[in-house]
Amino acid sequence: MASRHIRDVVFVDGVRTPFGKAGEKGIYHGTRADDLVVKTIRELLRRNPSLPAERVDEVSIAATTQTGDQGLTIGRTAALLAGLPRSVPGFAIDRMCAGAMTAVTTTASGIGVGAYDVVIAGGVEHMGNHPMGQGTDPNPRFMSERLVDPAALNMGNTAENLHDRFPAITKERADAYAVASQAKLAAAYADGRIQPDLVPVATRRPGEGFGLATADEPPRAGTTMEDLAGLRTPFRPHGRVTAGNAAGLNDGATACLLTSAEAADELGLTPKMRLVSFAFAGVEPEVMGIGPVPATEKALAKASLSIEDIGLFEVNEAFAVQVLSFLDHFGIDDDDPRVNRYGGAIAVGHPLASSGVRLMTQLARQFADDPSVRYGMTTMCIGLGMGGTVIWENPNHPDYGKGE
């Protein structure tokens, strides 16, 4: 069989719902997970009117807890609910926190080899309707045969383990990082950098009637070190991980439009990023937060790039200690302006399987704002001991497309 040319894959557009707090007091209590996905799909089509709906070749939607209103092969059901033609197929995918990231890399691979020209990829997590781990049944061999440390099944415990492994990452340093995340997100909102990619969502809360979600619910602008100092450490007595230096429990959905470079030209779509390389890697489950380090080393090697070539980083902030361990490994300062310029998950929220595309959407916005940056990276830790990294190129850079 003759070798096949691998085509360039471009990120054309990305949107998300505002992120809400999970639970009865959250904005999406009473809103279905699949309806959140539908809003993002419809918004992508509205924002890109030159794309005929029948040209969408696949819809890949991730969810970590695939049951109830985010089960039933949600990529297909959401496509039907969004009004896409019945000829458009869809599927569901799960890689825990990196679900949407994996939806992107999986369908991007299909574009690369010519199986697709246009895809929609994203993720959803309604942690209010489906708490993490709901309905799961971990095999007893994990414990009886000591295949993993018991801490591996609790994300907060894995973060405490990471603090143990890297004593230089103190609670005070993690708190300072969290305060900065809140401040950066507040500044991004003030500068209008977040709102353009949010799709308003009509909500209906039991007993309260209708509402309209237009902004993220979790942020706590003005958070100080003093505010965080007294928070309890729920995962360990006298621990270092708190609700203030970790992402919360959240609801939300994301989706993006990926195409081949040729299809973008044909359809009059303007790429916001080009996919350069991606990689996933496994680590000890009990310190899953270190996962972005080997994934990034792997992705850089595949692209023949070094960490110094990366001008912007979007690192998912499941826990401050996880980001700080990544920065320390690569010799990057805690307050390096290349890292999470618009804030991160500690401030904005982390609806598990949806977050990968939020990172991409924020990176694309920063690429447009800063044409001097050629390469950027989206990276995240993943439950059960993994990491994922995607490297992107900025089409606004003068050397775009000249090869790595």
Side-chain angles (χ1 to χ4, degrees), residues 137-150 152-153 285 384:
D137 180 20
N139 194 301
R141 290 181 51 235
F142 280 122
M143 299 297 109
S144 63
E145 298 181 20
R146 299 184 180 181
L147 297 176
V148 299
D149 187 289
L153 302 180
L384 299 182

Side-chain angles (χ1 to χ4, degrees), residues 292-304:
V293 168
T296 294
E297 291 175 334
K298 197 172 176 182
L300 287 169
K302 289 180 180 295
S304 299

Side-chain angles (χ1 to χ4, degrees), residues 63-67 70 94 96-97 125-139 152-155 249-250 352-353 383-384:
T64 301
T65 307
Q66 295 193 9
T67 186
Q70 56 191 40
D94 171 26
M96 299 189 78
C97 302
E125 208 73 48
H126 199 306
M127 300 181 76
N129 288 356
H130 308 289
M132 188 174 183
Q134 180 189 59
T136 60
D137 180 20
N139 194 301
L153 302 180
N154 181 295
M155 299 300 102
L249 305 178
N250 305 110
L352 303 182
L384 299 182

Side-chain angles (χ1 to χ4, degrees), residues 10-27:
V10 295
F11 179 103
V12 171
D13 203 2
V15 299
R16 66 179 178 88
T17 68
F19 288 170
K21 296 179 180 179
E24 293 183 0
K25 296 182 180 179
I27 53 177

Side-chain angles (χ1 to χ4, degrees), residues 14 223 252:
T223 294

Side-chain angles (χ1 to χ4, degrees), residues 173-239:
R173 189 176 161 198
D175 285 351
Y177 182 87
V179 167
S181 180
Q182 294 282 359
K184 287 190 286 188
L185 179 66
Y189 257 105
D191 291 342
R193 294 294 187 261
I194 304 296
Q195 299 91 324
D197 299 315
L198 297 181
V199 52
V201 177
T203 62
R204 185 176 184 180
R205 289 175 48 83
E208 296 184 16
F210 290 95
L212 187 66
T214 59
D216 296 304
E217 188 178 24
R220 300 178 66 88
T223 294
T224 65
M225 289 291 287
E226 291 72 24
D227 294 331
L228 301 187
L231 296 179
R232 68 187 186 94
T233 57
F235 306 107
R236 182 186 298 180
H238 310 293

Side-chain angles (χ1 to χ4, degrees), residues 52 55 58 72 87 159 204 207 233 246 251 257 261 305 320 329 343 352 387:
R55 287 298 302 272
E58 188 73 272
L72 198 63
S87 58
R204 185 176 184 180
T233 57
D251 307 329
L257 182 62
L305 296 172
H329 178 86
L352 303 182

Side-chain angles (χ1 to χ4, degrees), residues 56-115:
V56 176
D57 294 310
E58 188 73 272
V59 177
S60 174
I61 301 296
T64 301
T65 307
Q66 295 193 9
T67 186
D69 57 332
Q70 56 191 40
L72 198 63
T73 314
I74 193 169
R76 172 60 170 170
T77 56
L80 292 170
L81 291 164
L84 290 175
R86 294 185 179 184
S87 58
V88 177
F91 65 98
I93 201 163
D94 171 26
R95 202 199 293 262
M96 299 189 78
C97 302
M101 176 179 281
T102 306
V104 167
T105 57
T106 299
T107 52
S109 301
I111 293 172
V113 300

